[in-house]
Amino acid sequence: MKSFLGRVLSTIVGNMVTLSIFAFLLIALLILSTLGTTSPSIQKEAVLELTFDRPIKESSMDNEVSLFSFEESEDFYLENILASIEHAKTDDKIKGISLKIEAFNGGLTQANDIRNALLDFKKSGKFIYAYSNNATQISYYISSVADSVYQNPLGGILLQGMSSDVMFYKNAGDKYGVDFQVIRYGDFKSAVEPYFRTDLSEENKIQLNALLGDLWNNISNDISKSRKIDPITFQTITDSLYSYIPESGLKHKLYDKIIHEAEYDELIFNRLKLKESKSKTTDEILAKHLVSVEDYYSSFAETNASDKIAVLYASGTITEGDGFDGIQSKTYVKAIREISKNKNIKALVLRVNSPGGSANASEEILFELSRLKKKMPIVVSFGDVAASGGYYIAQDSDRIFAQPNTITGSIGVFGMIPNAKTLVNNIGITTDGVKTNANADQLKSIFNPLSDDTNRLMNKSVVLVYEKFVNHVARNRKMTFDQVNAVGGGRVWSGLSAQKIGLVDEFGNLKDAISYAAKLAKLENYSSEAFPKRKDSFEELMEKLQGNSISSKIKEELGTDAAKVYENLKLMNEQKGVQARLPFDIKIY
């Protein structure tokens, strides 16, 4: 009896301690949310310093809420960075910009947005200097816009061009007894190739070569123009990896001078004509004149007009469900309906950064957008990726903006059902059962191969979804079915090529799309409002407790690549129905 009472008492005490901890966390979060921030004072002779050492986010939908990380997410996004650079152009206190970018943690179109903003800043006549220790290729892409690029004597940049590596699982499936039963439409729809091939198909090689060729041409032409290097000579410099050795990079005009970082700081100090002091070091004096982009943005006010343009941020994989991990259909349907009810919202900009996902979820979102379009203009802005399902949801819009480096298209669909019967048989497990109807055991078990009837049904379903996809595109892009089909078939295009074949209207960033939406809505004084509205971080954390955040822990312990393999396997297991998804993931370094 005493033992029983002891266990009961310990359980009660344990629950009280747990509740107390959660209550403390809740109170702490509430206190933090109520604390105001004071605007920093900007010196008269100031330099805006850009490092981009944190991930570049576009909205709160990019924030992660993890059981394994309690770091507070800052509400500071790409649009704030661009607004800061634009404001600095006419701010008399800001004399120039210093770039110290080592590992730019963002996408290629985001880098392009920032680079273009810096080019516009240069029109003011103010200086831009850049310093590098060991920078990535995409970091140098941004820094190359500077008036002068300075390099650390023992650092280097791996300027090497672009490549693509694809991991194949077929041999592993054959070895362990897993048959990946694939149904697809479109010779270029290569998302499922890793499961039934051991190498790239010719179609996939064609589209990858064309895509990477377009992206690299855009990057290399921008760099060579800024550095005043002949484009052909620049390709030789890249092939020879001259950027990796500072002296070689200097000789071939990639750098202007090789100096230590302390010397670079002294250069900024002298450029600002600051005066030395006996009581303070030059570093201490300079530090007061260097302002971070976060502090600078908080120093000036932005207007908040009553008329609004909603910006619906659609980032991540499209799935069915209700939540904030990726693009979950119910969450976005609710958000679109909220926008429709808001009388102050006069137009919508759909910002897409998605490789696609569930065809059914994509159709749900598109249907809700088509209803909204009857009430207000809809303009679409493509980010790094707007392919397959990500392109699908854009097909009820007045105009589509993309960037030359956007990855888009991939008009194609597929379905895949793994059969692990041989796998379990090999380890001594067998299965047997009964059924009331001919196909009662189909499409719900990984231990039954597809019957001929089910295989025909799946093929018919894939074709129907593909035809619906093509018809949506044909209607919205004012093309014929055959014209869309000719550029479809699952093929992926760069934004540059997509504009030529009619899949997008014009080049421009999110700001351009918002301006165009305002023009359609006949607005002059307006502000933007982001959707979907996320729940309180503590509330989301509580919901995480009911699920799991294994991916975050794997990423923390084993790195990004291991987490990606886990997420691919998890996604394969969770996929329901026909998929409209990009054939591959691309990461630009």
Side-chain angles (χ1 to χ4, degrees):
M1 185 67 177
K2 288 181 179 180
S3 176
F4 171 75
L5 291 174
R7 286 197 297 270
V8 171
L9 183 60
S10 64
T11 301
I12 294 172
V13 171
N15 288 336
M16 289 178 66
V17 170
T18 302
L19 289 172
S20 298
I21 292 171
F22 287 141
F24 173 77
L25 287 172
L26 178 59
I27 292 169
L29 286 171
L30 289 172
I31 292 172
L32 286 172
S33 66
T34 57
L35 290 176
T37 56
T38 57
S39 298
S41 175
I42 307 300
Q43 299 290 328
K44 288 183 179 180
E45 302 288 325
V47 169
L48 180 61
E49 186 173 69
L50 305 178
T51 59
F52 305 125
D53 49 5
R54 295 182 182 181
I56 306 294
K57 300 176 182 179
E58 295 204 355
S59 76
S60 63
M61 294 301 291
D62 293 329
N63 293 335
E64 288 187 13
V65 177
S66 171
L67 290 173
F68 304 104
S69 176
F70 293 95
E71 292 183 5
E72 183 182 359
S73 296
E74 292 189 21
D75 292 332
F76 193 79
Y77 307 113
L78 176 64
E79 64 175 326
N80 307 132
I81 295 170
L82 300 178
S84 298
I85 297 172
E86 182 179 13
H87 191 269
K89 181 182 176 183
T90 55
D91 186 347
D92 291 337
K93 291 182 179 179
I94 300 296
K95 303 304 178 183
I97 290 177
S98 172
L99 304 175
K100 287 187 175 182
I101 312 168
E102 297 299 323
F104 181 76
N105 200 344
L108 187 51
T109 60
Q110 294 172 330
N112 191 60
D113 277 346
I114 293 169
R115 196 177 192 277
N116 286 337
L118 291 169
L119 283 170
D120 183 64
F121 175 87
K122 291 182 73 173
K123 295 175 183 177
S124 67
K126 300 178 181 182
F127 71 85
I128 299 180
Y129 292 158
Y131 186 81
S132 166
N133 284 294
N134 290 288
T136 60
Q137 185 165 249
I138 194 169
S139 299
Y140 182 77
Y141 172 62
I142 300 172
S143 296
S144 64
V145 77
D147 303 315
S148 298
V149 177
Y150 299 92
Q151 175 60 44
N152 183 284
L154 293 180
I157 297 167
L158 194 56
L159 193 63
Q160 60 184 155
M162 301 176 68
S163 64
S164 175
D165 293 311
V166 179
M167 187 178 292
F168 294 87
Y169 307 105
K170 183 183 182 300
N171 285 341
D174 292 343
K175 180 178 180 179
Y176 295 107
V178 179
D179 177 25
F180 300 106
Q181 302 168 107
V182 172
I183 301 98
R184 65 170 178 166
Y185 193 97
D187 291 336
F188 289 92
K189 197 63 181 178
S190 55
V192 286
E193 278 191 1
Y195 302 101
F196 68 87
R197 291 183 63 95
T198 58
D199 59 359
L200 296 172
S201 66
E202 286 304 312
E203 292 82 4
N204 203 7
K205 286 181 181 179
I206 290 171
Q207 71 176 352
L208 277 172
N209 274 316
L211 177 63
L212 294 183
D214 281 350
L215 298 183
W216 178 243
N217 282 339
N218 293 334
I219 294 171
S220 60
N221 287 338
D222 285 344
I223 295 175
S224 60
K225 183 178 179 180
S226 292
R227 298 300 302 165
K228 296 180 175 60
I229 302 172
D230 176 73
I232 296 176
T233 303
F234 181 77
Q235 297 304 331
T236 302
I237 292 170
T238 303
D239 290 340
S240 303
L241 299 179
Y242 287 142
S243 64
Y244 196 64
I245 305 298
E247 287 76 11
S248 296
L250 178 65
K251 180 181 177 181
H252 292 91
K253 301 181 182 179
L254 296 176
Y255 315 125
D256 293 289
K257 197 171 184 180
I258 299 174
I259 58 176
H260 288 280
E261 189 167 359
E263 295 175 291
Y264 174 80
D265 291 339
E266 288 175 7
L267 187 150
I268 298 289
F269 185 93
N270 294 327
R271 179 64 191 254
L272 294 178
K273 298 179 180 179
L274 301 178
K275 295 181 179 180
E276 295 183 9
S277 170
K278 293 181 179 180
S279 60
K280 294 181 181 179
T281 65
T282 55
D283 286 344
E284 290 173 329
I285 296 170
L286 180 61
K288 291 185 177 181
H289 293 265
L290 297 177
V291 57
S292 70
V293 67
E294 293 87 356
D295 285 345
Y296 183 63
Y297 180 75
S298 65
S299 71
F300 62 90
E302 290 193 301
T303 58
N304 190 20
S306 58
D307 286 337
K308 294 185 181 297
I309 293 176
V311 181
L312 183 64
Y313 289 92
S315 301
T317 302
I318 302 173
T319 58
E320 298 170 40
D322 189 1
F324 297 96
D325 291 331
I327 307 167
Q328 299 196 34
S329 56
K330 286 184 172 56
T331 299
Y332 279 77
V333 167
K334 288 177 186 176
I336 296 166
R337 290 175 182 173
E338 284 178 30
I339 293 167
S340 180
K341 291 176 184 176
N342 192 325
K343 295 180 180 179
N344 291 328
I345 296 176
K346 308 300 181 183
L348 169 71
V349 172
L350 174 65
R351 174 65 169 180
V352 182
N353 257 310
S354 172
S358 165
N360 182 57
S362 300
E363 175 67 19
E364 280 187 76
I365 294 169
L366 179 61
F367 177 75
E368 206 61 38
L369 287 169
S370 68
R371 295 171 67 181
L372 179 67
K373 192 170 180 289
K374 296 173 183 176
K375 298 182 65 174
M376 65 181 68
I378 296 179
V379 177
V380 176
S381 169
F382 287 164
D384 281 338
V385 181
S388 209
Y391 188 71
Y392 192 110
I393 62 175
Q395 299 313 307
D396 227 312
S397 56
D398 295 289
R399 201 159 190 80
I400 296 177
F401 286 80
Q403 294 201 31
N405 295 326
T406 297
I407 299 170
T408 190
S410 191
I411 302 168
V413 295
F414 70 89
M416 184 176 69
I417 301 172
N419 171 26
K421 188 177 182 67
T422 304
L423 171 65
V424 296
N425 288 168
N426 287 342
I427 59 175
I429 300 174
T430 58
T431 60
D432 197 4
V434 297
K435 55 186 178 182
T436 60
N437 295 83
N439 293 299
D441 60 346
Q442 294 288 294
L443 302 176
K444 62 183 181 182
S445 171
I446 62 170
F447 303 119
N448 292 319
L450 292 178
S451 66
D452 291 340
D453 287 342
T454 306
N455 194 49
R456 281 191 292 270
L457 177 69
M458 287 296 294
N459 273 287
K460 184 177 181 180
S461 175
V462 165
V463 172
L464 287 172
V465 173
Y466 177 76
E467 289 177 348
K468 191 174 188 68
F469 194 166
V470 172
N471 281 320
H472 280 318
V473 176
R475 172 183 50 78
N476 193 60
R477 303 304 305 159
K478 296 179 176 58
M479 299 166 71
T480 66
F481 184 96
D482 289 340
Q483 285 175 323
V484 177
N485 190 41
V487 297
R491 180 158 183 174
V492 177
W493 303 93
S494 69
L496 186 68
S497 296
Q499 199 268 341
K500 293 176 181 176
I501 60 178
L503 295 183
V504 303
D505 291 297
E506 64 178 285
F507 299 138
N509 59 16
L510 177 58
K511 184 181 178 181
D512 297 321
I514 292 173
S515 297
Y516 192 85
K519 179 182 176 182
L520 293 180
K522 298 178 180 179
L523 299 177
E524 292 185 2
N525 185 26
Y526 60 90
S527 59
S528 62
E529 184 174 349
F531 290 86
K533 302 293 185 184
R534 293 196 73 152
K535 296 178 181 178
D536 177 83
S537 58
F538 187 80
E539 186 178 351
E540 281 193 49
L541 185 60
M542 293 301 98
E543 290 181 357
K544 287 279 186 181
L545 286 172
Q546 299 173 14
N548 66 73
S549 295
I550 297 173
S551 180
S552 298
K553 192 61 178 175
I554 290 175
K555 186 175 181 180
E556 178 185 325
E557 295 292 337
L558 301 177
T560 303
D561 290 341
K564 193 64 184 176
V565 172
Y566 164 75
E567 290 194 6
N568 283 338
L569 294 171
K570 182 171 178 282
L571 180 63
M572 183 178 70
N573 183 56
E574 292 176 347
Q575 285 173 347
K576 297 178 181 178
V578 178
Q579 300 290 305
R581 183 174 168 81
L582 185 70
F584 37 72
D585 295 314
I586 289 185
K587 177 67 175 176
I588 311 294
Y589 293 99

